[in-house]
Amino acid sequence: MAKTKPTGLLVNGSLKKSGVTFYLRGGQMVARTAHSEQPKRRTRGQFVARQQLAHGCRLWRVLKWAGEPLFEKTPTAYARFRTLMRRTPVVFTPVSGRTAKAVLLLPGMPVSDGVLPVVEQQLAEVEGATALVTSLTTADVHRDDTLRLYTLRQVVEGSRPMVRVSAADLGVDDFRVVDGRLALVGDDFADEMCGWALVHIRDSRCSSQRVVTRCTYYQQFTTEEAFEAAAESYGGLTKEVR
């Protein structure tokens, strides 16, 4: 006896397509809308998490302007960055308007993640001049090592806050030795709209570094008033489920 080949679409379960879900019920193909009429939940905790994630995504994009970010791929460099960003202040921006897509310079923002020892660094004064003082000694830096200085500048472009990031590879000769430690000295380190992070790179490895800064511009976006205004612009919050 000849076998008959099935024709058409064979469905074992359900299939979503263009907003419609197809599924089998009692041997019959049934279609229904895949769009949920339930309003999107937006509790306080959910809104805070979404705001932090959205701002972290914008920071990641500007960090990439300075070159390929130095993060362990666990599972991806971006995923590792997002995890580390959870330790930074949460900023709140509205759904529209001049600050809707604001990018803000945050203290403690990660710029690298690796296995070399963390380079402790602080903004200080050296003989009356401003400086970035590190915990590195000349003995810590091998001949083929790279010291990469990230500079982050908070600016306002067309009324929108933005961060511009640059990176420069330095050698030991670019530093001064202060109390046995390497330091970068210059007027630039007095800029209260900038932040810096020095990353120690050896072969394919690097140190885990975070931004040090005196910039407080971001603080206006961390207040309860900023939170309430941002939440209202998205349609308000939904009640917590108890």
Side-chain angles (χ1 to χ4, degrees), residues 161-200:
M162 174 58 65
V163 173
R164 294 301 179 191
V165 186
S166 61
D169 289 348
L170 307 177
V172 171
D173 291 343
D174 295 305
F175 292 76
R176 285 175 56 178
V177 178
V178 178
D179 296 330
R181 308 297 176 180
L182 297 181
L184 291 167
V185 182
D187 294 338
D188 290 347
F189 297 107
D191 193 331
E192 295 186 351
M193 294 295 277
C194 284
W196 299 270
L198 184 72
V199 182
H200 185 191

Side-chain angles (χ1 to χ4, degrees), residues 105-130:
L105 173 54
L106 302 179
M109 169 190 163
V111 299
S112 66
D113 177 59
V115 298
L116 291 185
V118 173
V119 179
E120 301 296 337
Q121 41 203 294
Q122 62 179 326
L123 295 168
E125 285 195 0
V126 173
E127 298 177 355
T130 54

Side-chain angles (χ1 to χ4, degrees), residues 22-36:
F22 297 93
Y23 63 98
L24 287 174
R25 184 171 64 187
Q28 300 292 319
M29 179 73 76
V30 179
R32 65 177 175 83
T33 178
H35 174 69
S36 173

Side-chain angles (χ1 to χ4, degrees), residues 47 51 55 58 91-96 99-104 221 226 229-231 233-234:
F47 185 70
Q51 286 274 292
H55 183 252
R58 297 195 293 272
V91 293
F92 302 103
T93 57
V95 69
S96 61
T99 61
K101 302 297 183 182
V103 184
L104 301 161
F221 297 90
S233 75
Y234 278 86

Side-chain angles (χ1 to χ4, degrees), residues 171-229:
V172 171
D173 291 343
D174 295 305
F175 292 76
R176 285 175 56 178
V177 178
V178 178
D179 296 330
R181 308 297 176 180
L182 297 181
L184 291 167
V185 182
D187 294 338
D188 290 347
F189 297 107
D191 193 331
E192 295 186 351
M193 294 295 277
C194 284
W196 299 270
L198 184 72
V199 182
H200 185 191
I201 303 171
R202 178 176 296 158
D203 301 323
S204 60
R205 297 170 293 162
C206 70
S207 58
S208 298
Q209 301 300 151
R210 293 174 175 269
V211 170
V212 293
T213 181
R214 297 187 183 94
C215 183
T216 59
Y217 184 86
Y218 74 97
Q219 291 180 355
Q220 62 190 290
F221 297 90
T222 64
T223 65
E224 184 65 19
E225 292 77 8
F227 166 81
E228 292 175 356

Side-chain angles (χ1 to χ4, degrees), residues 23-187:
Y23 63 98
L24 287 174
R25 184 171 64 187
Q28 300 292 319
M29 179 73 76
V30 179
R32 65 177 175 83
T33 178
H35 174 69
S36 173
E37 298 298 331
Q38 293 295 321
K40 184 177 182 180
R41 288 192 51 75
R42 192 182 298 114
T43 64
R44 184 184 183 99
Q46 289 169 332
F47 185 70
V48 169
R50 289 167 186 161
Q51 286 274 292
Q52 186 171 49
L53 178 61
H55 183 252
C57 180
R58 297 195 293 272
L59 271 175
W60 175 257
R61 288 198 295 266
V62 301
L63 182 60
K64 291 182 72 174
W65 292 343
E68 188 62 28
L70 303 171
F71 287 84
E72 292 290 319
K73 295 178 173 58
T74 52
T76 66
Y78 176 51
R80 181 58 179 160
F81 175 79
R82 287 202 320 263
T83 297
L84 296 173
M85 280 296 296
R86 293 174 189 160
R87 306 174 191 174
T88 62
V90 181
V91 293
F92 302 103
T93 57
V95 69
S96 61
R98 65 180 183 84
T99 61
K101 302 297 183 182
V103 184
L104 301 161
L105 173 54
L106 302 179
M109 169 190 163
V111 299
S112 66
D113 177 59
V115 298
L116 291 185
V118 173
V119 179
E120 301 296 337
Q121 41 203 294
Q122 62 179 326
L123 295 168
E125 285 195 0
V126 173
E127 298 177 355
T130 54
L132 179 69
V133 180
T134 80
S135 60
L136 287 173
T137 68
T138 54
D140 294 326
V141 185
H142 297 179
R143 185 180 62 180
D144 295 327
D145 288 0
T146 297
L147 299 174
R148 182 165 299 166
L149 179 67
Y150 284 85
T151 300
L152 299 88
R153 183 179 301 275
Q154 181 74 69
V155 297
V156 178
E157 298 177 347
S159 77
R160 183 183 67 166
M162 174 58 65
V163 173
R164 294 301 179 191
V165 186
S166 61
D169 289 348
L170 307 177
V172 171
D173 291 343
D174 295 305
F175 292 76
R176 285 175 56 178
V177 178
V178 178
D179 296 330
R181 308 297 176 180
L182 297 181
L184 291 167
V185 182
D187 294 338

